[in-house]
Amino acid sequence: FSVFPRMKVKIKSEIVTLHRSDCDPTESKGVYVKPEQWNDLLNDPECLVVDTRNEYEIHVGTFRNAINPHTQNFVEFPDWMKQHVAGENAPKKIAMFCTGGIR
């Protein structure tokens, strides 16, 4: 008896794909925040909080004052960041979150 009679395993280069060669999360990433520090970021007026999840997940619930980028998929997210929080408009701090911590 097998739970997965025809199981296939595929190796993927990215879990959540960006389709970009100029972005490598193993070389360039932000600071991971411990759960105990998250509320401090949420309450910091100099911190922009961005919800990177999809519309359904955001509709179910999000953090107060979190920005919804209204992207259809994560491939669109880097362009949204460039348009809304880059250059002179860049906040001092940006905190992003998702459901599983993989984005």
Side-chain angles (χ1 to χ4, degrees):
F1 174 73
S2 176
V3 177
F4 303 106
R6 297 186 312 163
M7 183 171 92
K8 293 181 182 180
V9 176
K10 294 182 180 182
I11 297 174
K12 299 287 187 174
S13 60
E14 295 177 293
I15 296 171
V16 178
T17 185
L18 286 174
H19 298 295
R20 296 176 67 116
S21 61
D22 63 339
C23 181
D24 184 352
T26 62
E27 293 187 18
S28 176
K29 60 187 174 226
V31 176
Y32 291 98
V33 177
K34 293 183 180 183
E36 306 84 54
Q37 300 167 317
W38 181 248
N39 282 343
D40 293 338
L41 285 174
L42 292 177
N43 294 322
D44 186 341
E46 294 183 342
C47 184
L48 175 69
V49 180
V50 182
D51 190 337
T52 64
R53 302 173 304 153
N54 63 43
E55 292 291 331
Y56 171 76
E57 293 169 316
I58 292 172
H59 178 73
V60 170
T62 189
F63 290 105
R64 187 179 307 123
N65 298 324
I67 300 293
N68 176 358
H70 297 285
T71 52
Q72 297 302 307
N73 54 55
F74 200 60
V75 173
E76 298 172 359
F77 188 70
D79 289 333
W80 182 87
M81 287 291 288
K82 282 183 183 176
Q83 292 174 359
H84 294 88
V85 295
E88 295 177 11
N89 297 331
K92 290 184 179 184
K93 298 177 189 175
I94 300 172
M96 298 186 292
F97 67 95
C98 68
T99 304
I102 58 173
R103 292 185 181 124

